[in-house]
Amino acid sequence: MPTEIPATGLALRTEITGSGELRLSLVDQPTRAPGPDDVLVRIEAAPINPSDLFLLFGPADLATAVVGGVPERPTLTAKVPERLLASVRGRLDQSLGAGNEGAGVVIAAGENAAHLLGRTVAVLGGAMYAQYVTAPAREVLVLPEGATSAEGASCFVNPLTALSMVECMRLEGHTALVHTAAASNLGQMLNRICLKDGVELVNIVRKPEQVALLRGQGARHVVDSSADTFLADLTAALEETGATIAFDAIGGGKQAGQILACMETAAARKMTTYNRYGSDTFKQVYIYGGLDLGKTEFTRTFGFAWSISGFLLTPFLKRIGPDRGGQLRERVAAELTTTFASHYTADLTLAEALQPANIANYNARRTGEKYLITPHRG
Amino acid sequence: MPTEIPATGLALRTEITGSGELRLSLVDQPTRAPGPDDVLVRIEAAPINPSDLFLLFGPADLATAVVGGVPERPTLTAKVPERLLASVRGRLDQSLGAGNEGAGVVIAAGENAAHLLGRTVAVLGGAMYAQYVTAPAREVLVLPEGATSAEGASCFVNPLTALSMVECMRLEGHTALVHTAAASNLGQMLNRICLKDGVELVNIVRKPEQVALLRGQGARHVVDSSADTFLADLTAALEETGATIAFDAIGGGKQAGQILACMETAAARKMTTYNRYGSDTFKQVYIYGGLDLGKTEFTRTFGFAWSISGFLLTPFLKRIGPDRGGQLRERVAAELTTTFASHYTADLTLAEALQPANIANYNARRTGEKYLITPHRG
């Protein structure tokens, strides 16, 4: 049983008021003593994933951000345009924790979790931007001996999402896949998985230097959406790989529809007779991110055998069930510093995470950049 | 065995040349004698469905149409804009039959189909705009005694599509459905099916008089997309019915996305805690038509549990298998003049179908209007 439980710990909170103000703050949060099946984790590292940004800032206009408080307890307020308030109706006037995942050391454990005491673990939950977190022992992932919290901080979101893409591809009867914004941390990870598993992957990137980056990491098919030859290049890669499922991090714009159109062109090249309804090759695009929050638009030039859908990790893990989900988690732990290694652009304390200059960096969603919050540093 | 098989019969052909010309014509087509398992049908009525129009005219600019030939053997030619030729690459320089379905009398039959001689049957196939069609006996639907060819002409496309919508709703775990362009022949049919089967249906129409039409036919939920209160009306109907699947005949524009957004709003009203990823209520829009061939656009304000997909009858029938498909066909025959009755605006001979004034009418895709080709009249 624990010997020394801190009474409180610093935690980041985000709130949007009904009057249209975003308020970020740091609070001294009472530590919850672990129940018999729980562990208390001293969080040492928590990444800022794209999926965290929307909860942190909602639809606030950060150009209106104002800093307040004192250096160790800063606050940040910003205006939320009134027309966008309805989109976050469900969270108004609630102070919410943030941070989907993190890692740290178990400093206290309930009687059924005593074997975890002192171990470094990764935790999935909604409020990891905090110094201490209490979680059910069955929901933490024990890192291999010697792994650091920084190495384990991004154990869940990116690794399980990347593994789920390949899993979903197989489950739905496809044999190769497409990924957009493929030079991202997640994209590089997916590339490593596919190389290791012998799965053909078409990487779509947005800049020539990202082509070089992925090729340098062994990627066979990389197409650059900024090139004049993009659609022809993509079609050729789709024809060569037979990829009929895509995972799209961008969401807005025309690319989801372009992928379907190129898949249809690739399929049509193999057709021997005309079918006014298009090919019978089923083509799927899953939108799993929102790098472009603008509207999605497409012209339906790809027959009727197609689907554009949302994709979210948690429901997918429910779909494959806890046994298979457990296998994926074990693979992440086993390949933590190889296949699933994440790289960080910079570390930030909780207070630093509220500074506008830092926000401008980590909220820019630049491909390949990733930031880590270290709640106990400094 | 047949006593008298006509050597030839008139048939409508459509061709798009590689040089960008659409050519419609009537040809004297040799009649194919039925094999042992076939029937030869004297086609008396064949509807012009929206799904036939694209094969007939492709992407031709009908403002450039020129009539030629003689009154009994007219031709019609029109230009296809060069930039659109690629979209019909697969059919260039091929003379194609047209007409997805039709009905008529069996005037000759192979030895294994002799029991069908003299019966009025409906036929599904790709070339029903013709005086005579030879088809496998197992693919025709025998109409009830006394039913006319006009009554049976639209036996397949609309009835099976409408039945498939309800079938698909159940198969995918939904309990109520939405239909757009709901005042169409198909929409009125779907309304009768839903009333009969006790399924809640939200009808979306585009004009106030269509609200009155459907209400007059017993529809409980009819919302008018031209009304200022459309989104609120739709959301209220979705909340009341719990409909989470929609079948959209329009395709282009914003309506598919609006339906998902209203479904999400209806689902969110039942949520007790905020979820940044939206509700976990899965929302599906199937696009089965293209009344608006323009681009589809949507803003993703409906979480991640959603899908927009193409829907086509033939693959869906494959999915449910021949036994269930057979049951649906039997139901169509049994309720031919009630649930599945079609109404026609006008009859056209094959020659009349090539006259620009008639084309302007039947190609206008006006809700509720439907035309019938009668290859033996006059």
Side-chain angles (χ1 to χ4, degrees):
Chain A
M1 286 297 291
T3 50
E4 213 188 321
I5 298 182
T8 63
L10 215 52
L12 189 156
R13 313 291 296 184
T14 172
E15 179 172 355
I16 294 177
T17 67
S19 59
E21 188 174 72
L22 167 73
R23 292 181 187 163
L24 297 187
S25 60
L26 299 187
V27 301
D28 285 298
Q29 182 170 271
T31 303
R32 184 164 68 76
D37 299 307
D38 296 336
V39 290
L40 173 61
V41 182
R42 181 181 190 273
I43 299 292
E44 295 178 328
I48 303 176
N49 288 310
S51 53
D52 293 310
L53 294 172
F54 187 70
L55 188 77
L56 279 175
F57 304 119
D61 176 4
L62 293 178
T64 66
V66 175
V67 176
V70 295
E72 314 79 52
R73 294 287 187 283
T75 64
L76 184 123
T77 56
K79 299 259 171 270
V80 178
E82 192 171 344
R83 67 189 168 81
L84 299 178
L85 265 185
S87 69
V88 287
R89 197 188 299 121
R91 63 169 285 186
L92 293 183
D93 298 314
Q94 298 168 50
S95 172
L96 303 172
N100 268 324
E101 62 182 339
V105 175
V106 176
I107 59 166
E111 58 193 43
N112 301 326
H115 59 290
L116 296 177
L117 206 56
R119 293 301 299 265
T120 301
V121 298
V123 195
L124 183 66
M128 297 301 135
Y129 299 156
Q131 291 186 309
Y132 300 100
V133 163
T134 305
R138 68 170 188 284
E139 290 182 10
V140 307
L141 181 62
V142 180
L143 301 184
E145 289 288 353
T148 67
S149 292
E151 285 170 340
S154 296
C155 243
F156 292 100
V157 177
N158 277 1
L160 289 179
T161 301
L163 283 172
S164 290
M165 290 173 181
V166 179
E167 190 78 5
C168 179
M169 175 201 82
R170 292 198 183 101
L171 198 64
E172 298 185 356
H174 306 270
T175 55
L177 73 166
V178 179
H179 189 223
T180 74
S184 66
N185 251 285
L186 174 61
Q188 296 179 38
M189 204 175 273
L190 180 62
N191 181 50
R192 291 192 293 270
I193 294 170
C194 288
L195 287 174
K196 187 156 187 169
D197 293 7
V199 170
E200 291 270 44
L201 169 67
V202 177
N203 296 280
I204 301 179
V205 297
R206 294 181 282 184
K207 292 174 186 169
E209 58 266 35
Q210 295 168 340
V211 176
L213 174 82
L214 281 171
R215 287 215 187 277
Q217 297 180 9
R220 288 188 53 206
H221 308 279
V222 191
V223 296
D224 176 4
S225 62
S226 73
D228 291 341
T229 54
F230 171 55
L231 296 178
D233 296 345
L234 177 58
T235 305
L238 292 169
E239 197 176 0
E240 193 178 337
T241 58
T244 47
I245 184 169
F247 291 88
D248 176 34
I250 299 170
K254 296 180 177 177
Q255 198 168 89
Q258 287 172 333
I259 293 169
L260 290 175
C262 292
M263 285 177 176
E264 178 69 4
T265 303
R269 285 184 186 159
K270 294 169 188 166
M271 289 169 70
T272 50
T273 57
Y274 178 64
N275 185 333
R276 78 195 81 176
Y277 299 118
S279 79
D280 57 4
T281 299
F282 182 71
K283 302 162 292 291
Q284 171 77 54
V285 173
Y286 279 114
I287 295 177
Y288 76 93
L291 292 177
D292 178 349
L293 292 170
K295 68 184 174 189
T296 308
E297 54 181 75
F298 54 90
T299 306
R300 301 174 318 289
T301 55
F302 33 70
F304 282 85
W306 60 272
S307 193
I308 300 179
S309 315
F311 185 87
L312 197 59
L313 179 60
T314 309
F316 183 77
L317 291 177
K318 264 191 202 149
R319 183 174 157 198
I320 61 173
D323 290 351
R324 183 61 186 149
Q327 290 169 2
L328 299 186
R329 286 162 59 132
E330 280 161 31
R331 178 170 177 187
V332 175
E335 300 173 29
L336 188 63
T337 57
T338 53
T339 313
F340 301 106
S342 283
H343 302 282
Y344 299 98
T345 312
D347 293 356
L348 301 168
T349 63
L350 287 168
E352 286 166 349
L354 264 58
Q355 291 171 7
N358 292 326
I359 292 174
N361 277 326
Y362 71 72
N363 196 34
R365 301 163 197 238
R366 282 187 284 262
T367 301
E369 289 197 0
K370 197 167 171 117
Y371 291 78
L372 195 64
I373 290 183
T374 50
H376 287 280
R377 185 170 59 81
Chain B
M1 287 298 292
T3 49
E4 214 188 320
I5 298 182
T8 64
L10 216 51
L12 190 156
R13 312 291 295 184
T14 173
E15 179 172 354
I16 293 177
T17 67
S19 59
E21 186 173 75
L22 167 73
R23 293 180 187 163
L24 297 186
S25 61
L26 299 185
V27 300
D28 286 298
Q29 180 169 274
T31 303
R32 184 164 69 78
D37 298 306
D38 294 338
V39 291
L40 173 61
V41 183
R42 181 183 189 270
I43 299 292
E44 295 178 330
I48 304 176
N49 288 311
S51 53
D52 293 310
L53 295 171
F54 187 71
L55 188 77
L56 280 174
F57 304 119
D61 177 5
L62 293 177
T64 67
V66 175
V67 176
V70 297
E72 313 79 52
R73 294 286 186 285
T75 63
L76 184 122
T77 55
K79 299 261 172 268
V80 178
E82 193 171 345
R83 68 189 166 81
L84 299 178
L85 265 185
S87 69
V88 287
R89 197 187 300 120
R91 63 169 286 186
L92 293 182
D93 299 314
Q94 298 167 51
S95 173
L96 304 171
N100 268 326
E101 63 182 339
V105 176
V106 175
I107 59 166
E111 57 194 45
N112 303 325
H115 60 288
L116 296 176
L117 208 55
R119 293 299 300 267
T120 301
V121 299
V123 195
L124 183 66
M128 296 301 135
Y129 299 155
Q131 290 186 309
Y132 301 99
V133 164
T134 305
R138 69 170 187 284
E139 290 183 9
V140 307
L141 181 62
V142 181
L143 301 184
E145 290 287 356
T148 66
S149 293
E151 286 170 339
S154 297
C155 243
F156 292 99
V157 178
N158 277 0
L160 290 180
T161 301
L163 283 172
S164 290
M165 290 173 181
V166 179
E167 191 78 3
C168 180
M169 174 201 82
R170 292 198 184 101
L171 198 63
E172 299 185 356
H174 305 271
T175 55
L177 74 167
V178 179
H179 188 223
T180 73
S184 66
N185 252 283
L186 174 62
Q188 295 178 41
M189 203 174 273
L190 180 62
N191 180 49
R192 291 192 293 270
I193 293 170
C194 288
L195 287 173
K196 188 156 186 172
D197 293 7
V199 170
E200 292 271 45
L201 170 67
V202 177
N203 297 279
I204 301 179
V205 298
R206 294 180 283 183
K207 293 174 186 170
E209 57 265 37
Q210 295 168 339
V211 176
L213 173 83
L214 281 171
R215 289 216 185 276
Q217 296 180 11
R220 286 188 54 206
H221 308 278
V222 192
V223 295
D224 176 3
S225 62
S226 73
D228 291 340
T229 54
F230 171 54
L231 296 179
D233 296 346
L234 177 57
T235 304
L238 293 170
E239 197 177 0
E240 194 178 337
T241 59
T244 46
I245 184 170
F247 291 88
D248 175 35
I250 298 170
K254 297 181 178 178
Q255 199 168 87
Q258 287 171 332
I259 292 169
L260 290 176
C262 292
M263 284 177 176
E264 177 69 4
T265 303
R269 285 183 187 159
K270 293 169 190 165
M271 288 169 71
T272 50
T273 55
Y274 178 64
N275 185 332
R276 80 194 81 174
Y277 299 117
S279 79
D280 57 4
T281 300
F282 183 72
K283 304 163 291 290
Q284 171 77 54
V285 173
Y286 279 114
I287 295 177
Y288 75 94
L291 293 177
D292 177 349
L293 292 171
K295 68 183 174 190
T296 308
E297 54 181 74
F298 54 89
T299 307
R300 301 172 320 287
T301 54
F302 33 69
F304 282 84
W306 60 271
S307 194
I308 300 179
S309 315
F311 184 88
L312 196 59
L313 178 60
T314 310
F316 183 78
L317 291 177
K318 263 192 203 148
R319 181 173 158 199
I320 62 173
D323 290 351
R324 183 61 185 152
Q327 290 170 0
L328 299 185
R329 286 162 60 131
E330 280 162 29
R331 178 170 176 187
V332 175
E335 301 172 30
L336 188 62
T337 58
T338 54
T339 313
F340 301 105
S342 284
H343 303 282
Y344 299 97
T345 312
D347 293 356
L348 301 168
T349 63
L350 287 167
E352 286 167 349
L354 265 57
Q355 293 172 5
N358 292 326
I359 291 174
N361 277 325
Y362 70 72
N363 196 32
R365 302 163 195 235
R366 283 186 283 263
T367 302
E369 289 199 0
K370 197 168 172 114
Y371 291 79
L372 196 64
I373 291 183
T374 50
H376 287 280
R377 185 170 58 82

